[in-house]
Amino acid sequence: MRRIILASGKGGVGRTTLTANLALALAKRGRSTLLVDACLSSPNLALLFKLEKAPYTLNDVLRGEIPLSDAIYEGPHGLRLVPSRVSETADRVDLSRLPSALEGLGERVEFLLLDTPGGLRRETVAALRAGQEILLLTLPEITSLSDTMRTKVLLEFLGFRPLGVVLNRVRGKDYEFPPGEIRRLLDLPIVGEVPEDLSVRKAWRKGEPVVELYPRSPASQALMELARRLERRAS
Ligand SMILES: Nc1ncnc2c1ncn2[C@@H]1O[C@H](COP(=O)(O)OP(=O)(O)OP(=O)(O)O)[C@@H](O)[C@H]1O
Ligand SMILES: [Mg+2]
């Protein structure tokens, strides 16, 4: 089982959007995929998969009240999902229990994608421990990049080793850093580039993942390509 996390220094760079759509892209490609919302402080994944009222959630699993299997729901294309409770504050659960809660998924899941909190707070680090392949998600702009460089150093200090970079909201303007320069700055390969695309926001407004609602949009095509590349990468 490959456990993939898109981590970012800054919040709001598209972690939830890209994690959800990448998971769905992998499911569309026939991969057995589980998407877990480990972002308990702003659990947004439920909004994309109509799971706001799910009776059992990751919160209950982390409290040891139910097994993980009771909080798994079926989404489009066979994607399986574990939502967090929208109406509960994050302080009532301990994310450090996440790695053990995910044990036992074993052979049934090929790809596990985790949506984690932003920055490097205690809860973020706890959630990152459940991952294995960490990709840094950044915008191609100086403010986001300087934060990403700092995050990379801190992650390495904490014993995590980011494997690559995903760029989001790429417009191809001259105020952006080109991919080659970002690769040099971060000393990591660029694994994917998702363009700035209005379809992404329209899809959020309609409460559906963009790869499902607008499969031909530039963002969806980039996300399908990212899924293909991740499949090809050795874990
Ligand atoms: N490629 C894109 N093109 C256009 N808009 C985008 C793109 N990616 C993300 N967005 C928009 O950016 C906003 C933030 O996205 P999202 O909630 O996924 O970020 P996040 O990193 O998970 O934020 P948070 O730190 O709050 O968890 C949303 O309004 C989303 O629609
Ligand atoms: Mg988010």
Side-chain angles (χ1 to χ4, degrees):
M1 180 171 70
R2 291 178 57 184
R3 293 172 279 135
I4 299 175
I5 293 181
L6 298 179
S8 74
K10 272 200 192 312
V13 295
R15 276 186 332 279
T16 302
T17 308
L18 265 53
T19 306
N21 281 284
L22 186 57
L24 193 57
L26 286 162
K28 269 184 141 180
R29 290 180 54 74
R31 296 305 189 136
S32 153
T33 307
L34 180 71
L35 171 60
V36 174
D37 190 352
C39 192
L40 298 158
S41 46
S42 59
N44 284 340
L45 275 184
L47 309 175
L48 279 185
F49 297 98
K50 303 188 175 44
L51 286 171
E52 297 95 323
K53 297 198 177 125
Y56 303 110
T57 62
L58 184 66
N59 308 58
D60 309 309
V61 177
L62 294 175
R63 273 197 294 271
E65 289 168 5
I66 55 166
L68 183 70
S69 53
D70 285 2
I72 299 182
Y73 299 82
E74 178 104 8
H77 307 282
L79 174 66
R80 279 168 291 164
L81 302 135
V82 178
S84 296
R85 186 162 289 121
V86 178
S87 58
E88 187 179 308
T89 54
D91 50 11
R92 294 194 55 222
V93 283
D94 181 3
L95 264 175
S96 66
R97 300 181 67 164
L98 186 61
S100 61
L102 296 172
E103 269 170 25
L105 282 169
E107 299 302 302
R108 288 172 298 136
V109 178
E110 286 175 278
F111 286 91
L112 169 67
L113 275 83
L114 296 144
D115 188 21
T116 56
L120 280 178
R121 292 172 278 154
R122 207 180 67 89
E123 54 169 327
T124 314
V125 175
L128 287 174
R129 295 210 191 282
Q132 163 200 38
E133 295 176 55
I134 297 180
L135 300 173
L136 289 172
L137 178 63
T138 185
L139 309 185
E141 290 156 32
I142 184 68
T143 46
S144 181
L145 276 171
S146 65
D147 239 61
T148 307
M149 286 196 279
R150 191 171 151 270
T151 302
K152 181 185 179 236
V153 172
L154 290 172
L155 282 174
E156 286 168 349
F157 177 74
L158 290 168
F160 300 104
R161 199 168 59 87
L163 297 177
V165 182
V166 176
L167 305 179
N168 190 22
R169 309 194 77 160
V170 177
R171 295 176 171 93
K173 301 282 188 197
D174 54 10
Y175 55 78
E176 293 177 352
F177 281 66
E181 209 169 328
I182 297 175
R183 180 167 44 74
R184 275 195 300 281
L185 278 173
L186 291 168
D187 194 22
L188 285 172
I190 309 287
V191 191
E193 287 178 48
V194 180
E196 171 75 29
D197 186 347
L198 202 55
S199 311
V200 173
R201 292 153 110 186
K202 285 190 187 160
W204 265 112
R205 178 72 181 90
K206 297 202 168 163
E208 271 193 65
V210 68
V211 296
E212 186 66 4
L213 196 58
Y214 304 116
R216 277 203 265 268
S217 65
S220 295
Q221 289 182 18
L223 283 153
M224 291 304 294
E225 172 59 23
L226 177 55
R228 270 192 290 278
R229 282 204 207 159
L230 283 178
E231 276 181 52
R232 283 202 299 267
R233 267 176 91 98
S235 53

